[in-house]
Amino acid sequence: LMVGTAKSAKMGVLIKNGEVLEKVTDIDTVVFDKTGTITIGKPKVTDIVGDSKRVLTVATSLEESSEHPLATAIVKKAKEEKIAPVKVDNFAAIEGKGVKANFNDHTALVGSNKLFANSNISREIQDEAEQLQNEAKTVIYVGLDQQVIGLIAIQDVPKPSAKAAIAELKKRGLKTVMLTGDNKNVAQAIGKQVGIDQIIAGVLPTDKADNIKKLQKAGNKVAFVGDGINDAPALSTADVGIAMGAGTDIAIESGGIVLVQNDLMGVVKALDISKKTFNRIKLNLFWTLIYNLIGIPIAAGLFAGIGLQLSPELAGLAMAFSSVSVLTSSLLLNKAKIAGTSTQTA
């Protein structure tokens, strides 16, 4: 355990306890959050449909105090366009849908199309939204008094390491799943780019843990990789929670494994070193058992009648050799080959 956790720490993988090592050996499914985990987490506004100044003014006025990556992208774009936010009243966040507030005596709404479920959205707006989503862009609807006045398209690209990491997991026979609250079209486009096996889209933050439970009830042993506040329940529910080190404190606290670097190859490293460490523990226990099953009866004199016995000195030396062999076996973990590292010695 000491050697395995020390080696993993040098690779930027923090394993919190031995229980995690045991559970990792059974993992057959790895579930990823999308924003900030598979993607870089720094989305940018790419398109604005409608009166650009009006749409951005309403959106940035409602989103200026939010820490969500999409909100940050909108506020940044407004600053670039030198558009100042307007003070709003009765601000309210609607979980999984968006936000609303009083804006110049109007009810302003900014969020997904779910926020406008009771509104009539024009065919033109719907077509524009669908086209943008097919380009792997997240579409934010902006409205006043339930009337959609425009769209803001935001795009976040996959991390450079995402495709390679998922390919490595597949080589190990693991199923990969992406769990996201984003639109199905956007999720599928991102998933296709990185090679994800299964996509579960349109998931509310409160439902992430429930989806993990569904996978577990289907007989899967699940590792979940996430970075946000709303990922904490899923990280705790999964058999193994893997938190991105660049994520929120609550996500890091909820994960059994923490990736110091914001790199998805760390997931492969974490699973590999955990499995190799636990396998080394089992190997040590196996040979220790064999060694003692043979050595103790001889040292006790049970075979003295046939001339097979050990003096106390030799028995003590044999016991010392047993400890040295276990330590040597454990230290060989430092030479273990781990994907994504420079160590190549077997």
Side-chain angles (χ1 to χ4, degrees):
L1 282 172
M2 289 175 65
V3 176
T5 53
K7 179 177 175 63
S8 64
K10 290 177 183 177
M11 297 189 301
V13 178
L14 304 181
I15 301 172
K16 293 186 178 180
N17 54 60
E19 184 182 3
V20 174
L21 294 175
E22 185 173 359
K23 289 182 177 180
V24 163
T25 60
D26 296 324
I27 294 299
D28 55 31
T29 303
V30 182
V31 181
F32 295 89
D33 172 50
K34 183 177 77 69
T35 304
T37 302
I38 286 183
T39 61
I40 293 174
K42 294 182 179 179
K44 295 181 179 179
V45 172
T46 58
D47 304 84
I48 298 175
V49 177
D51 183 328
S52 177
K53 184 175 181 180
R54 186 185 184 204
V55 170
L56 269 180
T57 301
V58 174
T60 193
S61 298
L62 271 68
E63 300 283 17
E64 66 170 334
S65 59
S66 174
E67 295 181 357
H68 192 282
L70 298 182
T72 303
I74 291 172
V75 173
K76 183 179 179 181
K77 180 66 175 178
K79 287 181 179 178
E80 290 173 357
E81 299 293 329
K82 294 181 170 52
I83 295 174
V86 175
K87 185 178 179 180
V88 297
D89 299 313
N90 299 324
F91 176 88
I94 304 170
E95 190 174 30
K97 295 181 180 180
V99 295
K100 70 175 183 177
N102 289 339
F103 174 90
N104 291 341
D105 297 325
H106 296 279
T107 300
L109 302 166
V110 179
S112 69
N113 60 341
K114 296 177 184 177
L115 199 59
F116 296 88
N118 298 322
S119 307
N120 291 321
I121 303 176
S122 70
R123 184 73 257 173
E124 183 183 355
I125 288 288
Q126 291 180 38
D127 290 342
E128 288 275 9
E130 186 175 349
Q131 176 60 38
L132 292 168
Q133 288 165 354
N134 289 335
E135 296 171 7
K137 298 173 182 177
T138 299
V139 176
I140 303 298
Y141 289 71
V142 180
L144 291 174
D145 299 324
Q146 289 291 338
Q147 178 68 42
V148 176
I149 63 170
L151 305 171
I152 299 176
I154 301 174
Q155 190 168 43
D156 193 9
V157 296
K159 292 176 180 175
S161 61
K163 188 174 183 178
I166 288 165
E168 286 290 337
L169 293 173
K170 286 184 175 183
K171 284 182 184 178
R172 288 155 176 75
L174 298 171
K175 178 183 178 181
T176 56
V177 180
M178 184 168 72
L179 191 63
T180 177
D182 214 335
N183 178 275
K184 185 178 180 181
N185 291 343
V186 176
Q188 286 180 336
I190 295 293
K192 187 176 181 181
Q193 289 179 44
V194 298
I196 286 281
D197 293 319
Q198 180 182 351
I199 295 166
I200 304 174
V203 180
L204 293 174
T206 52
D207 294 337
K208 285 188 176 182
D210 291 336
N211 277 274
I212 296 295
K213 290 177 182 176
K214 287 179 183 177
L215 289 169
Q216 291 171 325
K217 286 180 181 178
N220 299 297
K221 296 295 182 181
V222 181
F224 179 76
V225 189
D227 72 319
I229 292 174
N230 57 16
D231 294 328
L235 286 165
S236 299
T237 302
D239 296 281
V240 175
I242 303 177
M244 305 300 287
T248 61
D249 290 342
I250 191 170
I252 292 171
E253 184 65 28
S254 300
I257 296 175
V258 179
L259 307 181
V260 176
Q261 298 173 337
N262 204 27
D263 183 352
L264 282 186
M265 280 304 295
V267 177
V268 182
K269 295 177 188 176
L271 296 181
D272 278 3
I273 191 61
S274 296
K275 286 185 176 182
K276 287 180 183 293
T277 300
F278 190 68
N279 287 340
R280 184 66 60 170
I281 290 171
K282 290 193 292 184
L283 180 67
N284 287 350
L285 286 172
F286 172 78
W287 285 113
T288 298
L289 179 63
I290 297 298
Y291 193 87
N292 282 284
L293 281 175
I294 296 171
I296 290 175
I298 296 174
L302 294 182
F303 303 105
I306 58 173
L308 189 60
Q309 60 183 350
L310 286 174
S311 67
E313 293 83 1
L314 288 176
L317 184 63
M319 192 66 240
F321 177 76
S322 173
S323 298
V324 170
S325 64
V326 169
L327 286 171
T328 303
S329 173
S330 299
L331 289 170
L332 285 174
L333 271 173
N334 285 316
K335 298 295 183 180
K337 181 179 178 182
I338 305 297
T341 66
S342 58
T343 304
Q344 298 296 322
T345 312

